[in-house]
Amino acid sequence: MPVAPGPALCYEFLAMPSYAITTFGCQMNVHDSERMHEVLRRAGYAEVPAAEADIIVLNTCSVREKAEQKLLSEVGRLAKQKRARRELIVVVAGCVAQQEGERLLKQARSIDLVIGPDNIAELPRLLDELVLGSPPLVRTVFDTDAPRFLTALEVVGASPTAFVTIMKGCDERCSFCIVPHTRGPERYRPSGEIIAEIAALTAASVREVTLLGQTVNSYRDPTRALSPAPGHAGGHPQTPGASTDDPDESEFAALLRRIAAEVPALARLRYTSPHPRHLTPSLILAHAEVPVLARHVHMPVQSGSDRVLKRMIRRYSRAEYVERVGALVRTVPGVTLSTDIIVGFPGETEEDFAATLSLVEEVGFKGLFGFKYSERPYTPARKLGDDVPEDVKSERLARLFALSEALLGEHLARLAGTTAQVLVEGLDKGDGLLWSGRTERNEIVHIAGAADRQLAGEVVEVSIVRHNKHSLQGELTAAARAATTPRAPLHKTGPVASHSETPGRRSLPVLAGGLAGGLAGGIAGGLARGA
Ligand code: 5AD
């Protein structure tokens, strides 16, 4: 990645300019924020707490209205600070920036820079211009002709888990969704670049990689370096329930296989979020044959009613969805599924919602993110109105969560007495006496009686002793204990905050909430994420 020019001239004789980034929204935004940190650090900026920063970056999300409102209230708060500190620079980045562009500057005079997700590398240059006296700037240009994917340059904090972007943008046209507008058309990253980044991450002690993309499994290699994956039938649609516009191109499956073959040090491979249309036979076969692939798939369904799915323009029916995930479950024993669901989509009747509940039961999701429908600008669904009353949306969401909690509870209860391979991510916040990690199936496991072992980043065998509401508790098996190395004992003196030992995990769909280190909330934790 080209390194941006040095810090602004005006800063030349001053202390290092400082910045803070606040992130709203999804994994993609978290990932973009990490790239902004790198770009800024490389250009000589120092990260400090927001209250002390010369530059505040708000990295925004616009998938639901609530996230956008949060941004505007934050901008309002900063406007007050700016009255006292005129040199403060306020940057709005991310999806709201892309969506609103110039309009944001008109709406909030305290904003100095509006920058889209594809323009992150230009951040230092644009800040230089501002420091040199430029009026407020807007830079929201999609890199459609020459897509760039910023690579992780540093592995900070030695987290055993990392995200790697493999595609960006979205060519689907789901009627509720603003993403095609804020992230542009689909662009794919060369497979060689993806593999090189994963190899570099594992060399720096990352054990688990999650491939990121808006419809991650529609991936195609722009360099055509992948050969067709097994299971693919010469491009003919073989997918259970597939229509002719869903051929099995198998490129995503081929990429997964290539990563597994070329980066043997990787312990686990996940991806998010796929589209059910691309849950093809070659992908299912890859799950069966590639051991590094975790046995958990987050497959957004959105609704269980065909009438609603059609109005959402999801391009599959309930039966097709069930058929496809059914084929996955039959082929990959023990695989767990989680999903995203929108309640209160325009025109959703009680009967439609009952169909969603029955689908959740039929598939047996072990976790879900549930959202109340939020009307978004530029989306086709605006034409449909927003006719489900707020209290009905809330009540449906509560029923959805109650069902999801019950399904998760039953699932976790069945696991007591079994053993599981746990990738340990860090020590629990609390008293720091429990290690936490996740199984291949994505259940969260707290490991007791092992505070004297060094487990961060290790895959260890754990006997599951009991289940909590959203997680499991277990102990190292004797063999696992013998195979691990000791560490200095911890005393029960209060929270442990050692950065290297509580690397934390950032808001990926997991089957339960409450993992140490800031998981934004669990799928099934009764959590109305974004609702
Ligand atoms: N209203 C509510 N939820 C939405 N999502 C996307 N757009 C909207 C909207 N307009 C949800 C979908 C998607 C998840 C990331 O956010 O469930 O899968």
Side-chain angles (χ1 to χ4, degrees):
M1 198 201 85
V3 174
L9 298 178
C10 285
Y11 283 134
E12 229 165 32
F13 303 107
L14 302 175
M16 216 187 231
S18 62
Y19 76 95
I21 302 179
T22 306
T23 311
F24 305 89
C26 67
Q27 293 86 3
M28 197 62 109
N29 275 12
V30 173
H31 192 263
D32 285 350
S33 288
E34 280 172 11
R35 301 294 79 77
M36 283 195 268
H37 277 292
E38 291 179 353
V39 164
L40 289 173
R41 275 198 292 263
R42 293 237 146 180
Y45 294 83
E47 189 188 1
V48 295
E52 299 157 27
D54 302 320
I55 298 152
I56 304 255
V57 182
L58 304 173
N59 190 13
T60 61
C61 169
S62 59
V63 144
R64 286 165 296 277
E65 194 182 5
K66 215 167 168 178
E68 212 177 307
Q69 284 163 356
K70 261 203 226 161
L71 163 77
L72 293 176
S73 80
E74 191 56 24
V75 168
R77 213 180 53 77
L78 289 173
K80 281 191 206 128
Q81 274 187 31
K82 217 171 158 163
R83 264 175 241 137
R85 276 179 68 200
R86 294 201 45 206
E87 70 284 4
L88 181 69
I89 293 181
V90 176
V91 180
V92 175
C95 291
V96 180
Q98 188 68 43
Q99 173 196 314
E100 294 298 320
E102 291 280 348
R103 277 188 300 274
L104 267 179
L105 293 186
K106 296 207 180 83
Q107 214 177 340
R109 302 245 312 265
S110 52
I111 299 173
D112 299 288
L113 172 61
V114 176
I115 184 167
D118 284 356
N119 306 104
I120 290 174
E122 300 165 59
L123 188 51
R125 177 179 65 74
L126 296 167
L127 289 173
D128 283 358
E129 283 186 32
L130 288 171
V131 172
L132 288 171
S134 157
L137 296 167
V138 176
R139 183 82 180 136
T140 51
V141 182
F142 286 134
D143 58 9
T144 323
D145 293 337
R148 281 180 73 184
F149 292 86
L150 298 183
T151 302
L153 298 173
E154 319 153 17
V155 183
V156 187
S159 170
T161 63
F163 296 114
V164 171
T165 306
I166 68 162
M167 55 89 66
K168 57 183 173 179
C170 184
D171 290 349
E172 296 292 323
R173 287 293 174 270
C174 304
S175 63
F176 52 80
C177 192
I178 197 171
V179 165
H181 185 82
T182 57
R183 296 273 174 171
E186 289 184 13
R187 282 144 291 162
Y188 313 99
R189 190 174 185 189
S191 58
E193 249 183 53
I194 297 169
I195 289 160
E197 182 168 5
I198 297 176
L201 287 167
T202 53
S205 79
V206 164
R207 307 301 313 282
E208 173 183 296
V209 161
T210 302
L211 305 178
L212 274 186
Q214 263 87 22
T215 53
V216 70
N217 57 341
S218 69
Y219 176 80
R220 273 174 273 149
D221 185 359
T223 58
R224 300 181 172 273
L226 300 169
S227 20
H232 145 96
H236 295 300
Q238 285 266 303
T239 307
S243 54
T244 39
D245 65 345
D246 290 353
D248 183 357
E249 283 152 355
S250 87
E251 293 255 323
F252 183 61
L255 176 70
L256 298 175
R257 287 176 185 268
R258 189 72 160 264
I259 294 169
E262 295 201 11
V263 196
L266 189 66
R268 272 188 198 162
L269 183 57
R270 301 182 189 270
Y271 54 86
T272 199
S273 278
H275 191 288
R277 280 195 330 113
H278 303 284
L279 177 55
T280 55
S282 65
L283 177 53
I284 292 173
L285 198 64
H287 271 276
E289 293 181 355
V290 179
V292 75
L293 271 175
R295 276 182 300 147
H296 163 245
V297 176
H298 182 74
M299 188 61 70
V301 66
Q302 314 298 357
S303 170
S305 155
D306 278 337
R307 211 179 65 89
V308 174
L309 286 172
K310 204 163 195 146
R311 289 154 62 96
M312 286 180 163
I313 320 187
R314 287 291 287 175
R315 300 164 74 191
Y316 53 81
S317 66
R318 173 189 175 125
E320 284 165 359
Y321 182 93
V322 169
E323 180 54 37
R324 290 175 187 205
V325 295
L328 177 69
V329 169
R330 283 190 300 277
T331 317
V332 187
V335 71
T336 52
L337 297 168
S338 58
T339 200
D340 287 350
I341 285 177
I342 298 177
V343 301
F345 185 77
E348 185 188 69
T349 61
E350 183 52 38
E351 202 184 337
D352 292 321
F353 179 64
T356 295
L357 291 179
S358 89
L359 177 79
V360 169
E361 230 170 335
E362 181 179 352
V363 174
F365 292 112
K366 304 300 185 287
L368 62 84
F369 284 128
F371 308 99
K372 292 188 217 172
Y373 173 70
S374 164
E375 189 180 277
R376 305 309 297 126
Y378 315 108
T379 56
R382 277 176 76 92
K383 288 200 290 289
L384 304 174
D386 184 6
D387 57 359
V388 178
E390 186 59 24
D391 57 338
V392 175
K393 287 182 186 170
S394 302
E395 183 259 347
R396 286 183 188 164
L397 196 63
R399 279 157 67 199
L400 182 64
F401 284 139
L403 173 59
S404 159
E405 291 256 303
L407 291 173
L408 178 65
E410 285 163 25
H411 170 70
L412 295 178
R414 278 195 296 271
L415 294 173
T418 62
T419 57
Q421 298 292 322
V422 176
L423 171 59
V424 181
E425 293 179 18
L427 280 166
D428 265 357
K429 282 230 165 104
D431 58 15
L433 291 177
L434 292 175
W435 287 100
S436 285
R438 284 173 306 135
T439 68
E440 266 195 279
R441 294 177 306 248
N442 227 18
E443 297 108 2
I444 289 177
V445 181
H446 305 287
I447 307 167
D452 62 334
R453 317 308 290 171
Q454 182 51 265
L455 300 188
E458 302 289 328
V459 178
V460 291
E461 189 177 56
V462 174
S463 342
I464 305 301
V465 179
R466 63 183 172 84
H467 72 284
N468 306 319
K469 201 166 169 202
H470 303 132
S471 63
L472 297 166
Q473 182 145 335
E475 291 162 359
L476 291 181
T477 61
R481 203 176 160 77
T484 56
T485 48
R487 67 191 277 275
L490 271 177
H491 302 294
K492 251 190 160 165
T493 49
V496 178
S498 154
H499 195 61
S500 62
E501 290 184 340
T502 53
R505 159 162 203 92
R506 295 165 216 94
S507 181
L508 247 198
V510 296
L511 294 187
L515 181 63
L519 175 68
I523 286 180
L527 194 102
R529 210 188 75 159

